[in-house]
Amino acid sequence: MSIVNKRRKTRQISIGNIKIGSDSPITVQSMTNTPTQNVQTTVNQILDLEKAGCEIIRVAVPDIKAALAIAKIKQKISIPVIADIHFDYRLAIASAKAGADGLRINPGNIGNQKNIKLVVDCAKEHKIPIRIGVNAGSLEKKIEKRLGITAEAMVESALVNIKILEDLHFHDIKVSLKASDVSRTVKAYKLLASKTDVPFHIGVTEAGGLYAGITKSAIGIGMLLAQGLGDTLRVSLTRDPVEEIRTGYEILRALGIRSRGPELISCPTCGRCKIDLFKIVQDTEKALLERSSKIKVAIMGCVVNGPGEAKEADIGIAGGDGKGILFKKGKIIRKIDQDDLVEQLLNEIDNIEKMEKPNGKKE
Amino acid sequence: MSIVNKRRKTRQISIGNIKIGSDSPITVQSMTNTPTQNVQTTVNQILDLEKAGCEIIRVAVPDIKAALAIAKIKQKISIPVIADIHFDYRLAIASAKAGADGLRINPGNIGNQKNIKLVVDCAKEHKIPIRIGVNAGSLEKKIEKRLGITAEAMVESALVNIKILEDLHFHDIKVSLKASDVSRTVKAYKLLASKTDVPFHIGVTEAGGLYAGITKSAIGIGMLLAQGLGDTLRVSLTRDPVEEIRTGYEILRALGIRSRGPELISCPTCGRCKIDLFKIVQDTEKALLERSSKIKVAIMGCVVNGPGEAKEADIGIAGGDGKGILFKKGKIIRKIDQDDLVEQLLNEIDNIEKMEKPNGKKE
């Protein structure tokens, strides 16, 4: 029994060298929040995101300067760039000419069918896909008036626009259906799933800050993935976009779909804990961010339960009174002073990673 | 179409004045991480948790001092207390005598059936329920040897122990089946659901730090709740337990099951944003924590999309260049300087809350 259903069958599209849909990996993407025309600042953010595992980056294109900046940005980064277009179809065309690997248009505000045709012609010429990015908050007025701000209206908007593109013999499409609540978001994707084989870009929009944002994204994206829906994902947080990437991978890992870097499990501590576990966990979490091995690390509050409860971890520490013990696969190795715990744990992880590298078993 | 299935039918138990199971609200609980015998420190943490909405609190009872402290702690707090017992059944008995409103025992380490009978006799005498708290990491050796550290083994442990208690004519039971991964946790509850009508305490154990912890808890608890499983929940984070409560309510809100306090939606910002939205969101998020009204607040990065995308919010702000606009239900009210945005937003929220109080409509 798996908790994740078989993945929905979709057509496959390419954004630069990244494939989306069919049996390609479910990719993790983000969006910059720097002014796009500010090339160096934007490049720096994208490089940070690449390091965190971001596989596709989207940039806002509010004006022609931003569109032109795409050419310069692309010279300095490795991942494909999607131009995010609202209102003005001409910016889509300028972005494609500047080398964007994909276009995102919002059918609710891009204007009439004639504008869409011009964007499609341009996308065809540059061989780049278009995301139909439906947002509950900005539906076509006609559809909203008839169906309200509902999942059904979002699906109708998507279907109308897929048809417009396909009638123009353009099939290089993905779709997103985002609302700021989990319920409409999940419903909309479920409703659309059987009506088209277009791959899905999934996410909950305007999810919010730390707790609400991660929670809503994890539940919404998680429920969709568990139902086999979703080909690329973006977690939306009012935070540094690097945190979106981390959360995205945590969602994929939690469902056993993909993993990236070490897994850290840690207990919440309780009245039995006699060391500063929160700090130890935070320091270790930070240090592990740069690692790529798939080692499982446990950090537990007490010696009594710790190693036993974490016996499936490759390595771990369990807190004692001002001290901790190091354990491997649940077996106690040695005692360590509290102040040296993180350093020695990381050294041991180094050793395991080195031993594992030659045969590439875990990398 | 709801994304949440009908709730599983269960028997109902009471922990102090809080009902668990059947049609009672799905409650949010946490566990202190202070030394329980340190009464004032523990009371202070519980009072913070009460303020955040914690409805049941669990305390570790590693020794007799901790058990005796329960009597003093209970005098100063309002919510029921559960004593968390490992290894030594005598501490369960001492806790019950000290006034604990419930006991949590770990069947994997509480010892033989004779010990369990003594705990049951005591719980009967004091009319308090017992949680059978199965943890994947500390299963009974016999069961683990035969079935491995699997969901099936967790379910078997639960069923064996439910039978021991029920053979002693004790029915005041809830069960938890926690693993440190979402997959086994969800599978175990699903497997057990049809085999007993005992209410479920749900959660993912040792979920970890901020990103992994919230993500795993949100997906695991979220998937269970969406399937109608779960009568009380605990989010487990290696963080201040107040954050566990916040995350717990965010999970319930995301699924439309229960809500507490204002809802804040906010956009992730992009290259269009020209104010420091992250800080505005963090300040507002913090200020709203103490509020109890169910107002919906939106904080959006740009004037162009903001009010439109957030037209379902009761009130919100959208960033401009060093300024912001205040809007209500998507309609623009007035411009405000960036530095005054949060204060004026909170004032407006005050006004809405005052207007709504007389008829109690939204509280």
Side-chain angles (χ1 to χ4, degrees), chain B residues 174-198:
Chain B
K174 62 176 178 166
V175 171
S176 64
L177 299 163
K178 298 189 186 178
S180 64
D181 63 291
V182 169
S183 173
R184 278 181 298 186
T185 304
V186 171
K187 273 186 212 175
Y189 284 105
K190 280 177 76 171
L191 281 173
L192 186 61
S194 61
K195 295 183 175 162
T196 172
D197 73 337
V198 163

Side-chain angles (χ1 to χ4, degrees), chain B residues 14 46 54 57 65 80 87 92 103 106 111 124 131 141 150 201 224 227 233 245 250 272 275 302-303 316 347:
Chain B
S14 293
I46 295 172
C54 181
I57 189 67
K65 273 192 192 160
F87 304 106
L103 301 172
N106 181 332
K124 271 189 200 168
R131 163 154 70 102
K141 290 205 169 48
T150 58
H201 163 119
L224 288 169
Q227 289 169 34
L233 67 88
I245 299 298
E250 291 295 349
R272 291 179 196 92
I275 56 168
C302 69
V303 184
N347 285 343

Side-chain angles (χ1 to χ4, degrees), chain A residues 246 249-250 252-256 258-266 281 284-285 288-289 291-299 310 312-316 345 349 353 362, chain B residues 179-184 204-209 212-213 216:
Chain A
R246 286 190 64 176
Y249 280 105
E250 291 295 348
L252 290 170
R253 193 208 303 271
L255 290 167
R258 271 184 86 182
S259 67
R260 184 189 151 82
E263 177 176 1
L264 176 60
I265 65 166
S266 57
V281 166
T284 309
E285 203 173 19
L288 291 183
L289 255 185
R291 312 269 178 149
S292 59
S293 73
K294 290 182 181 170
I295 194 170
K296 189 167 178 178
V297 181
I299 302 185
E312 291 169 295
D314 296 301
I315 190 160
L345 176 67
I349 293 171
E353 288 182 346
K362 289 215 173 181
Chain B
S180 64
D181 63 291
V182 169
S183 173
R184 278 181 298 186
V204 179
T205 194
E206 293 128 28
K216 279 160 75 172

Side-chain angles (χ1 to χ4, degrees), chain B residues 292-313:
Chain B
S292 60
S293 72
K294 291 182 181 168
I295 193 168
K296 188 166 178 178
V297 182
I299 302 185
M300 309 295 285
C302 69
V303 184
V304 187
N305 278 320
E309 294 261 330
K311 57 182 166 275
E312 292 169 294

Side-chain angles (χ1 to χ4, degrees), chain A residues 112-138:
Chain A
N112 58 31
Q113 215 163 317
K114 205 186 90 200
N115 296 351
I116 296 180
K117 182 177 180 333
L118 291 168
V119 175
V120 166
D121 288 344
C122 175
K124 269 189 200 168
E125 189 192 328
H126 290 88
K127 297 194 170 62
I128 57 176
I130 295 176
R131 163 153 71 100
I132 299 169
V134 177
N135 266 19
S138 51

Side-chain angles (χ1 to χ4, degrees), chain A residues 322-340:
Chain A
K323 283 190 198 314
I325 55 152
L326 183 85
F327 59 85
K328 290 185 181 174
K329 299 273 181 197
K331 298 251 182 306
I332 293 172
I333 306 295
R334 66 171 184 275
K335 276 194 191 168
I336 303 172
D337 270 353
Q338 167 157 345
D339 294 340
D340 304 329

Side-chain angles (χ1 to χ4, degrees), chain B residues 213-227:
Chain B
I214 299 181
T215 301
K216 279 160 75 172
S217 293
I219 296 184
I221 293 171
M223 283 181 77
L224 288 169
L225 291 173
Q227 289 169 34

Side-chain angles (χ1 to χ4, degrees), chain A residues 142-183:
Chain A
K142 246 172 52 187
I143 295 177
E144 182 175 325
K145 203 169 169 192
R146 188 158 44 86
L147 295 170
I149 309 180
T150 58
E152 289 74 12
M154 293 159 69
V155 169
E156 168 124 348
S157 171
L159 286 172
V160 165
N161 286 280
I162 291 171
K163 187 168 183 325
I164 293 173
L165 268 54
E166 294 192 333
D167 284 351
L168 297 166
H169 308 292
F170 188 83
H171 300 275
D172 226 7
I173 310 167
K174 60 175 179 166
V175 171
S176 64
L177 299 163
K178 298 189 186 179
S180 65
D181 65 290
V182 169
S183 175

